[in-house]
Amino acid sequence: MALKITSNLFSSTLLIITFSFLISLITNLIYSSLRVDGAKTFTIGRGFSIDLIHPSSKLSPLVNHVASADLIPDAFGGSYLLNFSVGTPPQFQLAVADTGSGFIWIQCQPCQCYNQKFPIYAPTNSSTYEEQPCHSPKCSEFAHCEGGICTYYVDYVDKSSSSGEVATETLSLYSSSGEKISFPNILFGCGRNSRSTSRDPGLSGIVGLGFSSFSLVSQIASTFDQRFSFCFVPLAKLDVPSKLSFGDKVDVSGPGTHVTPLLVKPSRPSYYLTLIGLSIGNIRLELLNNSSTTFQVGNIIIDSGTTFTFLPTWLYNQLILVVRQAIHVEPVVDGGSSSTVLCYRALNSTDVPPITMHLLGADLPLSVENIMHPDPQGYQCLAFRPTENEAFFGSVTQTNFLVAYDLENMSVSFKATDCTNMA
């Protein structure tokens, strides 16, 4: 994680404070009719599940202003968004829940910020906000300070970035069953200067679920251990909520469970698996490292924030050639080029050949929903893409699997599941 010192943005005028207070009151009024305000207290020792809602779904909080700790997948960017609250009294936020990030940050007033859908968090309106001084043990990994206060800087591949103070605050999640659970003293970044490359990001920030002592998973480990899971519904059924679960609800076992080692790399929050190859029907494609007879361990990132599965270009080219030959329907475009996406105007499920992903210790049979996805033009397209950089195991390929992360035993479990029926 890159860090830098930022300019002093603590001072605020009485007008800004007054405006922030009014915004906070308005926010509370917006949510006064929602069940989160009367949420039941969570009972320690049980699992906790959060709904995952698509932004275009009629269940989306962006459409209906529902703020019940929903996660909303962005079908085009691949991100899942989490509704939660920070502060006392609570101020609701909408942020990316990202397994590829190891830090939590949200935009804070006053700031040089991009536009967001929800009111920007005002730390002056919270009794539980606490900046971290430079001498705090929690500041040791951030290295930079300004005016005696610990500061952070993060940037991303898409050129977006955020910087500000490191602080602690109470963070609350709200389940779809009406339970509320609050975690005090969660370390996060109070963003005073944020940049987004999206035209209309609408987001408060990022909630990192990656491998880091500062991720949400690590900071709530005393309650739920270091276990969590996703269950993504197919893109054609986005009006049914998907699930993010913690604790007891993460248990995955029994027939049909596929377990593969989970790997991490120094200074990287991403989770890595080992892909050995792919089978399309009875044709097997081996993933070899530079045409050698060995494969690289930890060669594919499993990511909640990437829609498609990205394969090395040479392997992708072989894949679409085999798939094109197996599907006896004319594609919309020729799938013989690495620069094209293989799409069809109409396909029956019987037209799509079976594909198996061979992971280390696990052969994962894919369903049609994992292999093909609907695009905005109504075509059915192969849910794989080429890359000259790192490979990614995307969310479409994880559809209708209960995908459980066990960071204590460093493993990921997959079990074919109808995610539309998850309780």
Side-chain angles (χ1 to χ4, degrees), residues 163-232:
S163 62
E165 299 92 56
V166 177
T168 57
E169 182 58 284
T170 297
L171 185 150
S172 299
L173 301 175
Y174 305 85
S175 77
S176 55
S177 61
E179 292 179 310
K180 171 184 176 180
I181 183 168
S182 296
F183 302 95
N185 301 315
I186 294 294
L187 193 77
F188 79 110
C190 185
R192 304 293 189 174
N193 192 329
S194 303
R195 179 176 182 270
S196 175
T197 56
S198 174
R199 291 182 181 178
D200 183 23
L203 312 176
S204 305
I206 288 180
V207 175
L209 298 172
F211 191 80
S212 163
S213 58
F214 303 123
S215 74
L216 180 63
V217 175
S218 293
Q219 294 196 67
I220 65 175
S222 61
T223 300
F224 293 122
D225 299 323
Q226 295 196 69
R227 297 186 301 153
F228 66 100
S229 69
F230 291 106
C231 201
F232 301 138

Side-chain angles (χ1 to χ4, degrees), residues 112-423:
Q112 296 179 7
C113 294
Y114 54 77
N115 293 329
Q116 67 178 53
K117 300 293 184 184
F118 287 23
I120 295 173
Y121 165 70
T124 54
N125 292 343
S126 174
S127 63
T128 46
Y129 174 79
E130 184 175 353
E131 295 167 342
Q132 293 300 296
C134 294
H135 57 77
S136 167
K138 294 181 178 180
C139 187
S140 60
E141 295 189 38
F142 292 90
H144 294 294
C145 294
E146 181 179 343
I149 300 300
C150 189
T151 61
Y152 78 97
Y153 172 77
V154 291
D155 58 7
Y156 304 94
V157 175
D158 66 356
K159 308 302 181 184
S160 60
S161 63
S162 176
S163 62
E165 299 92 56
V166 177
T168 57
E169 182 58 284
T170 297
L171 185 150
S172 299
L173 301 175
Y174 305 85
S175 77
S176 55
S177 61
E179 292 179 310
K180 171 184 176 180
I181 183 168
S182 296
F183 302 95
N185 301 315
I186 294 294
L187 193 77
F188 79 110
C190 185
R192 304 293 189 174
N193 192 329
S194 303
R195 179 176 182 270
S196 175
T197 56
S198 174
R199 291 182 181 178
D200 183 23
L203 312 176
S204 305
I206 288 180
V207 175
L209 298 172
F211 191 80
S212 163
S213 58
F214 303 123
S215 74
L216 180 63
V217 175
S218 293
Q219 294 196 67
I220 65 175
S222 61
T223 300
F224 293 122
D225 299 323
Q226 295 196 69
R227 297 186 301 153
F228 66 100
S229 69
F230 291 106
C231 201
F232 301 138
V233 300
L235 293 179
K237 300 179 180 180
L238 291 176
D239 282 353
V240 178
S242 299
K243 294 291 181 181
L244 165 65
S245 299
F246 298 96
D248 293 347
K249 290 183 178 291
V250 176
D251 185 37
V252 179
S253 59
T257 301
H258 305 272
V259 184
T260 188
L262 178 67
L263 295 95
V264 294
K265 299 183 179 182
S267 303
R268 297 290 302 274
S270 299
Y271 300 111
Y272 290 82
L273 307 181
T274 300
L275 177 65
I276 299 174
L278 299 167
S279 289
I280 306 93
N282 59 1
I283 299 176
R284 178 156 174 156
L285 305 176
E286 299 287 349
L287 180 61
L288 302 178
N289 185 24
N290 297 326
S291 299
S292 70
T293 57
T294 61
F295 61 86
Q296 181 182 0
V297 174
N299 56 14
I300 189 167
I301 296 172
I302 181 169
D303 188 24
S304 65
T306 301
T307 302
F308 307 115
T309 291
F310 285 81
L311 301 173
T313 300
W314 64 267
L315 180 61
Y316 171 81
N317 288 343
Q318 293 185 34
L319 172 66
I320 60 174
L321 285 173
V322 175
V323 171
R324 192 180 189 284
Q325 293 171 358
I327 296 179
H328 303 296
V329 176
E330 192 66 23
V332 175
V333 293
D334 185 358
S337 169
S338 63
S339 62
T340 61
V341 178
L342 189 60
C343 295
Y344 296 86
R345 286 187 175 85
L347 285 177
N348 296 317
S349 59
T350 54
D351 295 325
V352 181
I355 293 181
T356 299
M357 291 191 71
H358 302 291
L359 301 169
L360 185 61
D363 295 325
L364 198 63
L366 304 183
S367 65
V368 174
E369 289 88 354
N370 304 132
I371 300 169
M372 309 299 295
H373 77 96
D375 81 341
Q377 285 73 44
Y379 299 141
Q380 291 291 316
C381 300
L382 191 67
F384 295 83
R385 296 290 186 273
T387 181
E388 296 294 335
N389 300 307
E390 289 187 300
F392 280 84
F393 190 133
S395 60
V396 173
T397 313
Q398 300 172 54
T399 290
N400 270 350
F401 281 104
L402 182 57
V403 184
Y405 294 72
D406 184 342
L407 304 186
E408 293 181 350
N409 296 307
M410 294 306 292
S411 66
V412 176
S413 300
F414 296 86
K415 187 171 186 178
T417 304
D418 183 355
C419 294
T420 62
N421 289 327
M422 286 285 290

Side-chain angles (χ1 to χ4, degrees), residues 17-81:
I17 294 174
T18 303
F19 180 73
S20 299
F21 180 71
L22 289 174
I23 287 294
S24 180
L25 287 177
I26 293 171
T27 303
N28 288 333
L29 287 173
I30 290 174
Y31 295 107
S32 62
S33 63
L34 302 175
R35 64 182 170 187
V36 295
D37 290 333
K40 297 173 290 184
T41 301
F42 173 74
T43 302
I44 299 298
R46 296 192 292 111
F48 192 84
S49 292
I50 301 170
D51 286 350
L52 299 153
I53 312 295
H54 191 274
S56 62
S57 165
K58 61 186 178 182
L59 302 176
S60 169
L62 295 182
V63 175
N64 295 329
H65 305 292
V66 176
S68 57
D70 300 319
L71 283 173
I72 310 124
D74 175 356
F76 302 103
S79 297
Y80 285 80
L81 310 181

